[in-house]
């Protein structure tokens, strides 16, 4: 059997999802954003709801997400995606409505919008990319930056007396009555990518079926902001981020 | 029972040379080339084609969706 015999349409087992278009993504090499974009496109495609989906883009590296996945999108101002999503979902209750937000967007400038949308139990899904840094603007400290972690604005490492403590925003979300599903995932390995995809599917189904708010945190890397190779960034995340932001479900009210 | 044979096709102009596919391949069949694509990245290449089992690990971890995977049972 030659390679040509194998490379035939009927033998195709995996490839770029068709909702992800051919526009080259602007993300740095190895960036977690790309993997999560792919999962979102795959899940929407598998649910067959691309005509009844609205995504809300953040400000941050994912500001151009609307260029890459062929669904309807709205670009919200910084941190306001959950407020925007609340409005869309109330007007179009049968649509899948989700936001896609970084840690600076969700846990700093948009903390108020996020907590209150979740507390109101808006029937939206929030995908939260926690790379513990402001990637887009050049690697400044974020509310989720780890203790001792060096960034452009804490070059000697984050110190509690000067910078306060990392904000456990996902844990806070799990205590709110409006949330039905709160989980923390990662996309560093094949096994974790599979789990993250299931989590995104669950969150999207919750939005469509109006079960309350869902929050899917993806503990992510930012190799440029962290100044590491993508491979090293994954290792650093496993060693430093996972102990502080442990993976798994924090809340799932629909699970028997 | 026939053994599974796999093959991958890399969209080399889309590839950013992050090397995550090479790390994910359980059989270590992928490397970055010495030559670069039009964007200036050393791109991914399977150096040992015959051993591929088509598990799709490389393609799943690729952030840019550059890899298409094919799998066929050997007669
Ligand atoms: C109102 C307003 N304030 C500040 C900024 C500058 N700004 C752009 S992106 C960003 C933070 C992005 O960080 P994050 O949300 O973590 O996304 P990432 O790039 O890490 O994915 C900031 C502060 C802005 N664009 N608008
Ligand atoms: S700066 Fe960081 S978050 Fe932004 S694209 Fe690059 S690696 Fe990704
Ligand atoms: S994972 Fe994708 S972008 Fe990275 S080197 Fe492999 S094919 Fe290229
Ligand atoms: Mg960030």
């Amino acid at each position: 059997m030659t390679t040509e015999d194998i490379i035939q349409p009927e033998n195709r087992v995996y490839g770029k999802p068709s909702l992800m278009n051919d526009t080259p993504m602007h993300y740095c090499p190895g960036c977690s954003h790309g993997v999560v974009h792919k999962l979102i496109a795959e899940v929407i495609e598998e649910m067959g709801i691309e005509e009844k989906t609205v995504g809300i883009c953040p400000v941050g590296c994912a500001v151009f997400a609307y260029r890459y996945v062929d669904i309807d999108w709205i670009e919200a101002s910084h941190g306001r995606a959950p407020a925007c999503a609340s409005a869309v979902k109330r007007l179009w209750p049968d649509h899948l409505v989700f936001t896609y937000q970084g840690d600076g967007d969700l846990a700093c400038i948009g903390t108020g919008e996020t907590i209150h949308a979740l507390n109101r139990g808006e029937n939206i899904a929030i995908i939260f990319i926690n790379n513990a840094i402001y990637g887009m603007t050049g690697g400044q400290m974020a509310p989720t930056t780890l203790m001792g972690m060096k960034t452009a604005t804490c070059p000697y490492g984050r110190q509690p007396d000067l910078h306060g403590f990392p904000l456990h925003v996902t844990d806070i979300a799990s205590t709110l009555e409006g949330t039905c599903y709160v989980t923390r995932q990662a996309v560093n390995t094949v096994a974790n990518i599979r789990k993250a995809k299931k989590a995104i599917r669950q969150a999207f189904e919750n939005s469509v079926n109006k079960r309350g708010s869902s929050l899917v945190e993806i503990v992510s890397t930012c190799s440029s902001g962290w100044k590491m190779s993508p491979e090293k960034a994954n290792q650093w995340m496993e060693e430093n981020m996972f102990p502080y932001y442990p993976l798994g479900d924090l809340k799932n009210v629909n699970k028997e | 029972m026939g053994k599974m044979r796999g093959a991958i096709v890399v969209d080399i102009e889309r590839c950013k040379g992050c090397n995550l596919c090479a790390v994910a391949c359980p059989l270590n069949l992928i490397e970055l080339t010495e030559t670069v694509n039009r964007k200036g990245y050393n791109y991914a290449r399977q150096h040992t084609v015959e051993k591929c089992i088509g598990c799709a690990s490389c393609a799943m971890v690729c952030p840019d969706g550059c890899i298409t995977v094919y799998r066929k049972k050997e007669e």
Side-chain angles (χ1 to χ4, degrees):
Chain A
M1 189 157 59
T2 65
T3 305
E4 287 67 45
D5 297 331
I6 306 170
I7 301 176
Q8 294 297 329
E10 66 273 19
N11 299 330
R12 185 184 184 278
V13 288
Y14 188 91
K16 185 164 72 61
S18 57
L19 276 183
M20 177 171 271
N21 59 38
D22 291 331
T23 310
M25 295 197 280
H26 71 288
Y27 300 114
C28 306
C31 177
S32 306
H33 275 303
V35 182
V36 182
H37 282 26
K38 241 177 24 174
L39 295 184
I40 286 172
E42 284 174 14
V43 169
I44 296 171
E45 209 168 297
E46 286 166 21
M47 289 173 76
I49 51 167
E50 56 267 37
E51 297 298 330
K52 290 189 92 176
T53 296
V54 180
I56 320 289
C57 293
V59 170
C61 281
V63 69
F64 293 135
Y66 57 79
R67 289 187 178 169
Y68 311 129
V69 181
D70 286 336
I71 54 167
D72 289 332
W73 291 93
I74 294 174
E75 175 57 59
S77 48
H78 206 3
R80 276 45 173 172
C84 199
S86 302
V88 175
K89 183 66 182 178
R90 286 178 182 211
L91 290 167
W92 274 344
D94 296 329
H95 275 57
L96 160 62
V97 181
F98 73 95
T99 72
Y100 185 102
Q101 303 173 256
D103 47 318
D105 190 87
L106 180 143
C108 191
I109 195 167
T111 320
E113 279 73 10
T114 304
I115 299 283
H116 285 291
L118 296 173
N119 195 45
R120 291 193 305 270
E122 301 288 347
N123 294 310
I124 59 171
I126 294 182
I127 310 296
F128 166 35
I129 307 297
N130 180 9
N131 54 16
I133 208 159
Y134 290 2
M136 184 200 205
T137 43
Q140 293 83 1
M141 181 176 57
T144 50
T145 296
L146 298 179
M147 273 307 86
M149 182 175 167
K150 289 180 180 154
T151 72
T153 45
C154 52
Y156 305 109
R158 182 174 188 164
Q159 304 300 332
D161 50 348
L162 200 55
H163 311 114
F165 297 92
L167 188 65
H168 290 270
V169 67
T170 302
D171 300 66
I172 295 170
S174 70
T175 67
L176 304 174
E177 284 172 67
T179 54
C180 63
Y181 180 47
V182 178
T183 187
R184 197 182 284 116
Q185 304 286 333
V187 291
N188 56 321
T189 61
V190 172
N192 282 348
I193 290 170
R194 287 211 169 95
K195 284 189 209 151
K197 182 173 172 182
K198 271 177 120 170
I200 292 170
R201 170 105 194 201
Q202 164 87 68
F204 283 6
E205 282 176 356
N206 289 344
S207 168
V208 173
N209 296 318
K210 309 178 194 68
R211 295 193 188 121
S213 311
S214 302
L215 175 65
V216 180
E217 173 180 348
I218 312 277
V219 183
S220 298
T221 63
C222 172
S223 50
S224 295
W226 297 359
K227 305 192 187 330
M228 294 173 197
S229 70
E231 184 184 355
K232 187 84 213 340
N234 270 337
Q235 281 167 9
W236 193 88
M237 175 174 70
E238 286 162 25
E239 286 160 21
N240 299 280
M241 298 272 284
F242 289 178
Y244 208 81
Y245 299 115
L247 306 186
D249 288 356
L250 288 85
K251 181 181 192 178
N252 192 353
V253 301
N254 299 307
K255 203 170 164 181
E256 287 83 50
Chain B
M1 207 181 73
K3 169 169 125 215
M4 278 299 176
R5 285 278 311 273
I8 66 167
V9 176
V10 181
D11 183 342
I12 60 175
E13 289 307 330
R14 203 176 158 88
C15 174
K16 293 176 184 163
C18 72
N19 203 46
L20 291 180
C21 53
V23 175
C25 174
L27 299 168
N28 295 316
L29 305 179
I30 300 175
E31 63 184 4
L32 294 184
T33 52
E34 299 277 313
T35 48
V36 295
N37 63 15
R38 259 178 286 177
K39 281 189 268 185
Y41 292 120
N42 305 91
Y43 50 90
R45 184 186 84 97
Q46 209 175 36
H47 54 74
T48 312
V49 180
E50 316 79 52
K51 288 194 179 155
C52 178
I53 52 171
C55 70
S57 298
C58 58
M60 282 178 73
V61 302
C62 174
D64 288 90
C66 307
I67 305 179
T68 309
V69 184
Y70 299 85
R71 192 162 57 209
K72 192 176 171 23
K73 203 182 240 169
E74 203 150 39
E75 281 96 49

